[in-house]
Amino acid sequence: MRWSREASQSLSSGRASAEAAAACLGSHRVGPVLNQVLSSRRSLHEPVELSRPLSAPAPASAGQQCSMWRETARRIARNLAAAASEQKMNLLRVFLVLPVVFLALLSEYQLRSWMTHLKIEEDSIAQLVILHKAVSELRTQQDCYQMPDWARKSNGATIQLQRTSPTYECDSWFCWLKRFIVPVNPPDTILQPGISPGECWPMQGHQGQVVIRLPAKILPSCLTLQHVDPELTPAGFISSAPRQSAVFGLDVDGEEEVPLGSFTFNVHKAPLQTFLLQNNHARAFRYIKVLVKSNWGHPEHTCIYQVQVHGKVVEKNGLLKLDF
């Protein structure tokens, strides 16, 4: 029973300490928690039987307990203040990041819009450039048609046979019989107008060349190649027509060859096609070489109907003759 009295005294001492802490901190700070602790300790005033003695701690003075409760309250207040400050910083970060994200999305959308608009403008500019180039070529071709044809036999043009590919000769008995009736057309056939089927020069093989001697030194600007209309042929297709060709300007001796351009004759277009020459150095030539690189599929020969060379004639003193 002595142990029960000692436990009761320890509880009474703890209750007195709690009430002293409440007096230090104020009843509005401890609140319901201290009331619950005190009510639970009142129920312990009843005597209990203990199997062994309890060692009651030495009661702290009222000042020490008050200091302890004040330190605990200050620590809790500091933790709450730190949590509130961190929450404010998080909210501030969110408010700062949201406008940046919005501006980034807006900038990306605006950049894509500008790129799309710029691409449309680039496509339009490219189309305008192509259209302008086509119009310029059409005007140049129109000017070419107004210039005289210097590769015409009636104007004094001839074929330099030494640098011209051989004429195709068929070895069959039918070709031998045909030669007695209709002779094979010579290379100078291309210097005369003719659009009927068969009025061409048959060049040996699918590759070859022809060199034209002009009546004077010419500043060439364009070349016209003519072939028969496919609708006038029995097969409806001309495989012997030249396909890829190149043009060169030759000096008097024929040693120097100046490239004037390459072109492709399209059998699916008009039978008369004009190609612009790239005479960058504005040189005049007496000889024009037409090199046939391929035809449209005929393995034995290539037919050339007519070649026209347009340009301005140069006098002996090197000046251009403007009128013809």
Side-chain angles (χ1 to χ4, degrees):
M1 297 304 291
R2 182 173 55 85
W3 293 344
S4 175
R5 285 194 300 271
E6 291 179 356
S8 178
Q9 290 177 1
S10 299
L11 292 175
S12 299
S13 176
R15 182 181 180 185
S17 299
E19 290 176 352
C24 293
L25 297 177
S27 59
H28 64 283
R29 292 188 179 180
V30 285
V33 177
L34 184 58
N35 294 331
Q36 184 177 0
V37 173
L38 296 176
S39 61
S40 62
R41 294 197 172 193
R42 289 192 192 97
S43 61
L44 296 178
H45 285 189
E46 300 176 359
V48 270
E49 293 291 337
L50 298 178
S51 57
R52 57 185 180 86
L54 294 176
S55 58
S61 64
Q64 291 177 351
Q65 292 180 356
C66 185
S67 299
M68 181 180 63
W69 282 99
R70 284 178 180 176
E71 185 64 27
T72 303
R74 289 171 184 172
R75 185 172 63 254
I76 295 174
R78 284 195 301 267
N79 293 337
L80 292 176
S85 177
E86 185 177 0
Q87 187 175 7
K88 289 181 180 179
M89 291 300 297
N90 291 335
L91 291 176
L92 182 60
R93 292 192 189 98
V94 170
F95 284 121
L96 290 177
V97 169
L98 282 179
V100 174
V101 173
F102 176 76
L103 291 177
L105 294 176
L106 181 61
S107 300
E108 183 180 1
Y109 173 77
Q110 191 173 8
L111 181 60
R112 289 182 179 178
S113 177
W114 287 346
M115 292 297 293
T116 304
H117 185 66
L118 183 60
K119 184 178 181 181
I120 293 175
E121 289 184 353
E122 289 179 353
D123 294 341
S124 302
I125 293 174
Q127 292 177 0
L128 289 176
V129 170
I130 295 175
L131 181 60
H132 178 71
K133 184 178 180 181
V135 172
S136 300
E137 291 180 356
L138 184 60
R139 288 180 179 176
T140 306
Q141 291 178 0
Q142 198 71 23
D143 296 339
C144 291
Y145 294 147
Q146 298 176 1
M147 295 180 182
D149 176 20
W150 298 106
R152 181 166 293 193
K153 189 175 182 179
S154 59
N155 291 336
T158 58
I159 298 295
Q160 193 176 26
L161 297 176
Q162 294 81 2
R163 289 186 284 183
T164 299
S165 299
T167 303
Y168 171 71
E169 294 183 1
C170 181
D171 296 333
S172 64
W173 64 269
F174 177 76
C175 294
W176 282 98
L177 181 62
K178 184 179 178 181
R179 287 178 193 172
F180 288 103
I181 303 174
V182 180
V184 180
N185 294 328
D188 61 356
T189 306
I190 66 175
L191 306 180
Q192 306 174 42
I195 57 174
S196 299
E199 294 182 355
C200 67
W201 169 54
M203 183 184 67
Q204 179 75 31
H206 65 280
Q207 293 179 344
Q209 66 181 30
V210 57
V211 177
I212 305 173
R213 183 181 185 273
L214 304 175
K217 293 189 71 174
I218 303 299
L219 188 67
S221 57
C222 48
L223 181 139
T224 299
L225 190 63
Q226 186 176 10
H227 205 273
V228 68
D229 193 342
E231 296 181 357
L232 301 179
T233 60
F237 182 75
I238 42 178
S239 60
S240 62
R243 186 170 186 173
Q244 294 181 348
S245 304
V247 182
F248 299 88
L250 309 180
D251 56 5
V252 178
D253 299 330
E255 296 180 357
E256 182 183 4
E257 296 185 356
V258 179
L260 300 177
S262 301
F263 58 88
T264 300
F265 184 86
N266 193 347
V267 295
H268 303 292
K269 294 185 179 180
L272 187 68
Q273 300 178 22
T274 301
F275 307 96
L276 303 179
L277 301 180
Q278 301 173 359
N279 193 1
N280 299 326
H281 300 286
R283 292 184 56 180
F285 302 97
R286 188 67 183 270
Y287 295 88
I288 296 295
K289 172 184 172 181
V290 180
L291 175 65
V292 178
K293 298 180 179 180
S294 63
N295 61 16
W296 283 89
H298 203 290
E300 298 180 356
H301 68 276
T302 302
C303 286
I304 303 177
Y305 276 77
Q306 187 181 7
V307 176
Q308 301 178 14
V309 178
H310 307 278
K312 297 180 181 180
V313 66
V314 178
E315 296 288 355
K316 293 182 179 181
N317 55 7
L319 300 177
L320 290 177
K321 185 178 180 181
L322 299 180
D323 53 351
F324 173 64

